[in-house]
Amino acid sequence: MRIFLAGHRGMVGGAILRRLGATADSDVITRTSAELDLRDQSRVRAFFQKERPDAVILAAAKVGGIHANNTYPADFIYENLMIECNVIHQAFAAGVGRLLQLGSSCIYPKAAPQPMAEDALLTGPLEPTNEPYAIAKIAGIKLCESYNRQHGVDYRSVMPTNLYGPGDNFHPENSHVLPALIRRFHEAKEQGAPAVTIWGSGTPRREFLHVDDMAEASLFVMDLPRAVYDRETDPMLSHINVGTGSDVTILELARIVAQAVGFEGEIHTDPSKPDGTMRKLMNVDRLSRLGWQASIALGDGIGTTYQWFLDQQDAGTLRL
């Protein structure tokens, strides 16, 4: 099977590529953003008409944390909409019958009942800090559902919780919370700082899934027989949550990171900074019934991610 993996240089795409590389039954097609700008409709059309893959995994996206989403809202909604529209439509036009699109837990309303089940989609207002990105991801789900209903293709969507692991972005301002904490505590340890201050009150709760677990879950969902997949979904609600089913407070997370890094100073909170949504826990009952569960414990995953951070830093290849 020839699979086009869009976004193979990103954290999730890289993990999926590693997993596909361990199998002998897949011929993986990849392109860098310089080779194929997924925002360019004509270039995406030409690519699909030439390559005609059997299946597509859409892991490409513009992503970032609260600061990045607040600072560049137009970029987040425009670029993600263009990527989704171009890849999904041109895949269909080239006769691709199977596609898996990766989304985000931010698609759910800010006040969604916890844990958030798939049927919470479009039931209330979104978190304002990442609303443009969330709207683009919701559009991706509806694109897949609409092509399934109108054209009978098999386009699926998985919605991961907060991801972390090898390949993450450790930029001091534009990264997500967990890699930002790893870098901050590492630098504090290196500098001998007496304390580290984290954004917000420390009380919001978040769920974290190791990217290798996400890669495994993505391929698991993609490979499900259609009758099995359809049994747990319906044409108007076809996406599936991927997570661990458990969460921690941001302050608890900071303490786990501090321990993994070896930082022994104090941890302070800064309530003047935004907390974002107070809780974001995924209901993963649908995926559990299908037969998949996460296997990498948070403490273990943070420990190996920190070691990867150190290795990349030593090699000069860390994303900053």
Side-chain angles (χ1 to χ4, degrees):
M1 175 181 289
R2 299 180 74 240
I3 300 174
F4 172 44
L5 173 57
H8 73 286
R9 285 189 165 181
M11 178 173 63
V12 185
I16 292 174
L17 183 62
R18 291 193 298 271
R19 194 159 192 89
L20 286 171
T23 66
D25 57 352
S26 298
D27 177 16
V28 184
I29 306 165
T30 61
R31 293 291 187 275
T32 66
S33 57
E35 294 169 331
L36 177 61
D37 185 349
L38 297 177
R39 300 166 299 182
D40 187 322
Q41 185 181 66
S42 62
R43 293 182 65 181
V44 175
R45 180 190 301 114
F47 166 81
F48 272 101
Q49 291 300 316
K50 177 183 178 182
E51 297 293 339
R52 294 190 175 272
D54 301 305
V56 172
I57 300 175
L58 178 50
K62 181 177 179 62
V63 298
I66 291 176
H67 177 80
N69 274 271
N70 268 332
T71 306
Y72 313 110
D75 293 352
F76 275 86
I77 191 168
Y78 171 77
E79 294 188 27
N80 285 296
L81 283 172
M82 294 303 293
I83 290 169
E84 292 162 358
C85 288
N86 290 337
V87 172
I88 292 170
H89 179 73
Q90 297 305 331
F92 164 73
V96 176
R98 295 179 59 200
L99 180 146
L100 183 74
Q101 184 223 187
L102 279 68
S104 168
S105 62
C106 71
I107 63 168
Y108 293 116
K110 180 176 182 178
Q114 301 292 321
M116 301 178 293
E118 288 86 352
D119 60 8
L121 184 67
L122 297 176
T123 58
L126 300 165
E127 162 58 40
T129 56
N130 58 18
E131 182 184 71
Y133 176 74
I135 288 174
K137 289 296 152 186
I138 292 169
I141 295 172
K142 294 305 175 182
L143 275 167
C144 289
E145 291 175 357
S146 298
Y147 278 77
N148 290 344
R149 290 169 57 203
Q150 184 172 339
H151 300 295
V153 290
D154 188 2
Y155 292 179
R156 305 176 181 183
S157 299
V158 285
M159 298 297 117
T161 188
N162 301 292
L163 299 174
Y164 72 99
D168 212 338
N169 175 11
F170 290 84
H171 190 279
E173 293 181 345
N174 295 338
S175 60
H176 288 104
V177 60
L178 206 158
L181 287 175
I182 288 176
R183 177 171 178 171
R184 196 174 306 167
F185 279 106
H186 170 76
E187 291 178 348
K189 183 183 76 169
E190 293 292 291
Q191 297 164 5
V196 167
T197 300
I198 62 174
W199 270 37
S201 65
T203 58
R205 303 187 68 87
R206 291 292 183 271
E207 176 184 18
F208 296 92
L209 179 72
H210 194 280
V211 70
D212 287 345
D213 271 342
M214 182 60 200
E216 181 183 275
S218 297
L219 297 181
F220 173 85
V221 171
M222 189 172 189
D223 290 341
L224 285 171
R226 188 162 189 176
V228 176
Y229 181 84
D230 289 348
R231 188 180 67 214
E232 285 293 335
T233 62
D234 63 63
M236 300 297 291
L237 196 66
S238 66
H239 62 287
I240 292 180
N241 290 343
V242 184
T244 65
S246 61
D247 58 6
V248 295
T249 68
I250 296 299
L251 184 55
E252 289 169 338
L253 176 69
R255 289 169 178 157
I256 297 172
V257 171
Q259 182 176 12
V261 169
F263 175 77
E264 298 180 349
E266 297 181 353
I267 301 175
H268 300 158
T269 60
D270 181 2
S272 70
K273 302 294 186 182
D275 274 333
T277 305
M278 291 306 296
R279 194 181 193 195
K280 288 178 64 176
L281 176 64
M282 300 285 255
N283 182 317
V284 294
D285 290 349
R286 177 178 280 183
L287 186 56
S288 295
R289 287 193 297 267
L290 288 167
W292 188 89
Q293 291 183 329
S295 62
I296 301 174
L298 182 59
D300 294 338
I302 290 175
T304 57
T305 300
Y306 179 55
Q307 185 58 54
W308 181 89
F309 169 90
L310 294 175
D311 293 342
Q312 297 301 306
Q313 188 178 62
D314 290 343
T317 54
L318 191 67
R319 291 176 64 196
L320 296 174

